[in-house]
Amino acid sequence: AEASRTSSLAELNRAVGVPPLSTEAPLESAAERDEWARYEYLAAVRSSFDAAGQADAALPFAKRALELRVIEERAPKAYAGLHVVAFKDSLNLGRLADAHEVLTDLHGCASSAHRRVDKEAEAVYLERRADCFNTLVSVLHARGGVAQLAKLRFDGELRSELFLALRRHAP
């Protein structure tokens, strides 16, 4: 029954023109294939809303896709990219707490990859985290809102990364 459900979701995605997305590692079970088909669907819907200029409607689909662990396990580059999309959408919508949450989760992904000794994934997550910090500081500076950073909690490596981004942005 589970294999049938997975097959049906994948077939439905193909029937409505949802583009297939590539994994970086093979999907090993029906459950992973099912989650991957859900990810393809969520990514397509999010992309459609984004193309229509509706970031507020796109964001929930990106956040839901971030809950699917198969992306982190089988496509860490796509997972890191999805974090960046959710981060930027949150920031552009003025949802600083949501952007902070996504940034914190991205930090957790880097830590998890480090524990797994997955150096390639760790490097991708750290690079995307640095990109997000630079974007955060730039956007808040442009809006005259750098003081809002004081309302957010940045501990350990996150605090160090924030200071680096602030220094890079300083005149």
Side-chain angles (χ1 to χ4, degrees), residues 14-76:
R14 281 192 300 279
V16 296
V18 171
L21 301 173
S22 298
T23 62
E24 296 162 37
L27 302 172
E28 296 179 355
S29 69
E32 284 186 344
R33 288 187 290 280
D34 184 44
E35 272 201 0
W36 194 260
R38 278 187 269 153
Y39 166 52
E40 290 175 326
Y41 170 78
L42 292 167
V45 173
R46 191 215 65 79
S47 181
S48 295
F49 279 122
D50 189 53
Q54 297 180 22
D56 57 331
L59 183 57
F61 291 93
K63 285 185 151 191
R64 178 64 184 104
L66 286 172
E67 296 172 8
L68 302 173
R69 289 293 141 203
V70 70
I71 309 167
E72 180 180 13
E73 295 168 7
R74 302 295 178 208

Side-chain angles (χ1 to χ4, degrees), residues 50-112:
D50 189 53
Q54 297 180 22
D56 57 331
L59 183 57
F61 291 93
K63 285 185 151 191
R64 178 64 184 104
L66 286 172
E67 296 172 8
L68 302 173
R69 289 293 141 203
V70 70
I71 309 167
E72 180 180 13
E73 295 168 7
R74 302 295 178 208
K77 290 176 188 170
Y79 196 58
L82 190 56
H83 275 83
V84 172
V85 166
F87 172 82
K88 287 182 177 179
D89 283 351
S90 296
L91 195 58
N92 290 337
L93 291 168
R95 299 178 185 168
L96 190 55
D98 288 347
H100 178 262
E101 180 183 327
V102 173
L103 187 57
T104 302
D105 189 52
L106 190 54
H107 173 68
C109 292
S111 298
S112 177

